[in-house]
Amino acid sequence: MKKVLLALMAVALLGGCATAGKLSSDERLALYRAHAGAPVKDFRYYGSLNGWTELGDSALAVWTKPSEAWLLSLSGPCLDLSFAPAITVTNMMGQVSAKFDRVIVHGNGPGMSIPCRIDTIQPLDVKALRSSERQLREAKIAARAEDQTGESN
């Protein structure tokens, strides 16, 4: 719990520097790491992703179900991940494994796809993550409103 509170405070401090309302990739990564469990060697893949979120050029979160998500740290920078319209996650018979499988970034032109090796996999506490995201949004809105009322005095 102490780790989560410290990460939230760090994200909130960074949030003061961010543009109105939106978290930067670094801020989102700090938030997701604060809600990630211990690394696991693999996870069950159901054939398609329910969603994904880029967290900079070397990490992303993937949702396999609405209530199940995984933080994937990549072995190095994954070019154009921030701009990709689509990704694919490789798997072997429905299992995605750290150190073996890859995230493939699509949308870099015809026939271009960039494979990025998955270094670590961590389960995400989706419920706590959503709650923290909501609290951060509310704090940013309150800070923005306070700034606007302070400026009009």
Side-chain angles (χ1 to χ4, degrees), residues 21-50:
K22 193 164 184 188
L23 296 176
S24 71
S25 293
D26 289 339
E27 291 169 329
R28 282 194 322 270
L29 180 56
L31 182 63
Y32 279 63
R33 282 187 174 152
H35 292 88
V40 296
K41 70 177 197 161
D42 55 30
F43 67 89
R44 185 92 180 116
Y45 181 66
Y46 302 100
S48 66
L49 295 177
N50 194 272

Side-chain angles (χ1 to χ4, degrees), residues 98-121:
K99 312 275 189 229
F100 179 75
D101 283 303
R102 291 166 169 43
V103 172
I104 300 172
V105 176
H106 299 285
N108 300 320
M112 289 290 293
S113 57
I114 304 168
C116 307
R117 190 173 57 84
I118 300 169
D119 192 42
T120 60
I121 300 170

Side-chain angles (χ1 to χ4, degrees), residues 74-145:
L74 306 172
S75 61
C78 194
L79 301 176
D80 295 333
L81 184 58
S82 299
F83 307 105
I87 62 165
T88 300
V89 178
T90 64
N91 67 93
M92 180 65 78
M93 296 191 315
Q95 290 291 114
V96 176
S97 301
K99 312 275 189 229
F100 179 75
D101 283 303
R102 291 166 169 43
V103 172
I104 300 172
V105 176
H106 299 285
N108 300 320
M112 289 290 293
S113 57
I114 304 168
C116 307
R117 190 173 57 84
I118 300 169
D119 192 42
T120 60
I121 300 170
Q122 293 172 269
L124 287 167
D125 183 342
V126 173
K127 196 173 191 178
L129 177 64
R130 295 290 184 225
S131 176
S132 293
E133 287 176 327
R134 186 172 37 260
Q135 290 170 359
L136 281 172
R137 276 193 306 272
E138 290 168 0
K140 281 189 171 224
I141 290 168
R144 206 175 17 221

